[in-house]
């Protein structure tokens, strides 16, 4: 469709952390640094791992827990090094069909919420069944990239 796409994602491993009771912006900041330390070698193999995109954040309706995740690079999917920080874990996300809405600029939690609501409205209007109780934000750019930024919101298809 012109305002969203439906993607099929394969089963894959992500390294994640959950930040509780903070604003989404603060949770993203704290979570990013925990995961960044993991890829910089704070893991059992003391191995540096390439930074990947997107950085995702799971947002659940009415909940102040946010799960921040980095995609595990393809060369480490079979056996990612285990985190040494007890707040960081490797998880396997099952294959899924995901509705995606893309947008540019610097994304704030408010902008992500606005885009997620626009996507939800479009999906409801088109009769597309999706899990409405949560969505993911996906950021693809370094904070230092000023132009042509790429952000997404994801809803999982039912």
């Amino acid at each position: 469709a012109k305002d969203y796409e439906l993607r099929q994602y394969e089963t894959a491993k992500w390294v994640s952390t959950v930040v509780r009771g903070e604003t989404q912006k603060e949770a993203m900041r704290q979570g990013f640094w925990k995961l960044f330390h993991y890829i910089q070698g704070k893991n059992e193999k003391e191995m540096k791992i390439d930074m990947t995109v997107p950085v995702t954040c799971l947002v659940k309706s009415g909940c102040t827990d946010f799960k921040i995740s980095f995609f595990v690079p393809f060369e480490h999917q079979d056996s990612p090094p285990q985190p040494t920080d007890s707040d960081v874990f490797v998880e396997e996300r099952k294959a899924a069909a995901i509705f995606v809405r893309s947008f540019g600029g610097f994304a704030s939690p408010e902008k992500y919420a606005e885009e997620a609501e626009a996507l939800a409205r479009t999906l409801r209007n088109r009769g597309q069944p999706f899990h409405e109780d949560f969505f993911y934000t996906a950021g693809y750019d370094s904070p230092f990239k000023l132009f042509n930024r790429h952000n997404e919101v994801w809803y999982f298809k039912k």
Side-chain angles (χ1 to χ4, degrees):
K2 70 177 184 358
D3 42 7
Y4 71 91
E5 58 185 295
L6 176 59
R7 294 185 193 150
Q8 180 64 42
Y9 280 95
E10 298 308 312
T11 297
K13 292 190 177 86
W14 294 70
V15 61
S16 301
T17 188
V18 174
V19 178
R20 293 180 170 83
E22 295 288 352
T23 63
Q24 186 177 342
K25 188 173 186 168
E26 179 58 19
M28 283 294 293
R29 191 189 67 75
Q30 287 182 23
F32 177 89
W33 286 110
K34 282 184 181 291
L35 299 174
F36 187 76
H37 292 308
Y38 166 82
I39 67 172
Q40 287 298 300
K42 195 172 179 184
N43 56 62
E44 282 182 350
K45 296 180 183 169
E46 295 183 357
M47 177 190 290
K48 279 196 176 211
I49 299 168
D50 290 337
M51 176 80 204
T52 59
V53 291
V55 175
T56 65
C57 178
L58 173 60
V59 180
K60 295 183 202 163
S61 304
C63 182
T64 57
D65 294 358
F66 298 97
K67 182 168 66 176
I68 295 84
S69 307
F70 288 3
F71 179 76
V72 173
F74 292 108
E75 63 268 25
H76 300 293
Q77 279 286 319
D78 290 339
S79 62
Q82 287 306 302
T84 53
D85 178 339
S86 61
D87 290 340
V88 177
F89 55 95
V90 174
E91 64 172 335
E92 185 171 89
R93 291 189 195 166
K94 298 292 177 213
I98 300 175
F99 294 108
V100 179
R101 179 178 170 94
S102 300
F103 61 99
F106 280 89
S108 63
E110 296 75 23
K111 180 68 174 159
Y112 276 124
E114 192 180 294
E115 295 291 337
E117 184 47 47
L119 175 56
R121 202 168 37 248
T122 300
L123 295 173
R124 282 186 212 107
N125 289 343
R126 302 223 172 115
Q128 292 283 6
F130 65 101
H131 294 276
E132 297 193 38
D133 52 332
F134 69 93
F135 66 89
Y136 279 91
T137 68
Y140 287 82
D141 301 303
S142 136
F144 307 108
K145 183 175 180 182
L146 301 180
F147 303 103
N148 300 317
R149 296 179 60 81
H150 184 79
N151 313 289
E152 296 173 348
V153 288
W154 299 352
Y155 273 113
F156 282 55
K157 183 176 179 166
K158 273 190 175 170

